[in-house]
Amino acid sequence: MGNRMKEGEDYEDAFAPVQHATSEQVIISIEAANDLELHSCDLAQAFIQANKLDEGINCRVFITLPKGSDEDPDTVFEVLRPLYGIPSSARALHLTLTKWFKLQGFKTAGFEDSIWVCKAGGDYEDRLIVSAHIDETLMACKSSATLEKFKTMFLTRFEGTNEGPVSTYLGTELISYRVTGPSRSNNLCMSRRFCKHTEHGTSPQ
C-alpha cells in the first residue's frame, strides 16, 4: 500500500508523477491566447498497454490460479503486463509514455514530467504540447493537420479513442468562442457532478 512505501526500498518503483492543476490551466490559457486546437485522446485499459519495469521490488509479480483450476496447485504464473492494483503499474505506464514521446522528439516541460513539448520541425510542422493524466491526454497545436498526424501516430502505438475537440477535461468545462473571442473554462461540470453525488440540493449556476 502507498502509505507503507519507503524511500530507497520500494517508493521509486511505484511513484508516477502527474501534472499540477495549475499547469493544466496554463495549457488551456495558451490555447485560448494563441487560438490553438485543443483535443484529447483516451487510452483503453491504459496500464496493460505499458511495458513492465525492468528492475525493482515490484517489477515481477506472480499469481496462483483460483480454486477449481486443472493446473498443479504448486504452479505459479508471472504477470506479463502491468495490471490495475499492482503498485508499479502507474509508474510503468508513465515510463512507457515518456520513452515513446522521446522517440517522437518530445521533451518534458521543465519540472512537469507528465507534460511533453515538441518544437516545430522534424516529423511535426508545428509545435505540440501534450499532457497525460493516467489514461486521459490533452494536446494543443496551432495546426489541425499536425494534430491529426500526431493523434494517428499516438493511437497506432496505444489503443484508445480520439475524443476530438475538448469540451470537458478532468472536471473542467471548456467553452470555445473561436469566432467571436477567446475560449474560457469553468468548473460547473465538476460542481454539478459533485452536488449530484452528494445529493446536495443546490445546483451551481
Side-chain angles (χ1 to χ4, degrees):
M1 296 178 64
N3 63 325
R4 296 180 181 176
M5 294 177 183
K6 296 181 179 180
E7 186 173 359
E9 293 185 12
D10 54 0
Y11 175 81
E12 292 296 332
D13 298 332
F15 175 72
V18 295
Q19 64 275 28
H20 294 75
T22 301
S23 297
E24 291 291 341
Q25 294 169 356
V26 169
I27 293 176
I28 295 171
S29 297
I30 291 173
E31 173 268 332
N34 295 276
D35 192 29
L36 305 182
E37 299 282 347
L38 190 66
H39 288 210
S40 68
C41 288
D42 186 51
L43 297 181
Q45 300 294 318
F47 287 164
I48 64 174
Q49 298 194 56
N51 299 318
K52 288 199 313 175
L53 297 180
D54 294 329
E55 57 184 14
I57 293 177
N58 295 307
C59 71
R60 301 186 71 186
V61 175
F62 296 87
I63 60 173
T64 58
L65 292 181
K67 293 181 180 180
S69 171
D70 295 332
E71 294 288 343
D72 186 326
D74 294 327
T75 301
V76 296
F77 292 82
E78 183 174 4
V79 177
L80 299 180
R81 288 287 180 180
L83 299 176
Y84 286 85
I86 296 177
S88 60
S89 293
R91 181 164 183 80
L93 175 62
H94 170 72
L95 294 178
T96 300
L97 287 170
T98 297
K99 182 178 180 179
W100 185 84
F101 277 115
K102 286 183 177 180
L103 290 174
Q104 294 294 312
F106 284 76
K107 294 183 178 180
T108 52
F111 58 85
E112 287 287 11
D113 290 334
S114 289
I115 298 178
W116 299 269
V117 180
C118 183
K119 295 182 178 180
D123 292 335
Y124 303 106
E125 295 182 359
D126 290 272
R127 186 180 65 166
L128 281 155
I129 304 173
V130 183
S131 70
H133 189 279
I134 307 299
D135 57 353
E136 293 188 61
T137 60
L138 186 69
M139 46 199 71
C141 184
K142 185 70 173 180
S143 166
S144 58
T146 298
L147 190 56
E148 290 300 325
K149 179 180 179 180
F150 169 76
K151 288 192 293 183
T152 297
M153 296 286 289
F154 185 73
L155 294 176
T156 297
R157 168 58 182 87
F158 300 98
E159 181 181 351
T161 56
N162 179 358
E163 300 296 318
V166 176
S167 57
T168 60
Y169 186 73
L170 299 180
T172 299
E173 182 180 22
L174 305 177
I175 304 173
S176 178
Y177 300 100
R178 300 191 69 183
V179 176
T180 59
S183 303
R184 69 181 178 90
S185 64
N186 62 57
N187 290 319
L188 282 179
C189 179
M190 179 63 78
S191 300
R192 292 191 184 105
R193 290 173 59 189
F194 177 81
C195 289
K196 177 181 178 181
H197 289 290
T198 56
E199 299 181 354
H200 193 281
T202 302
S203 177
Q205 301 297 322

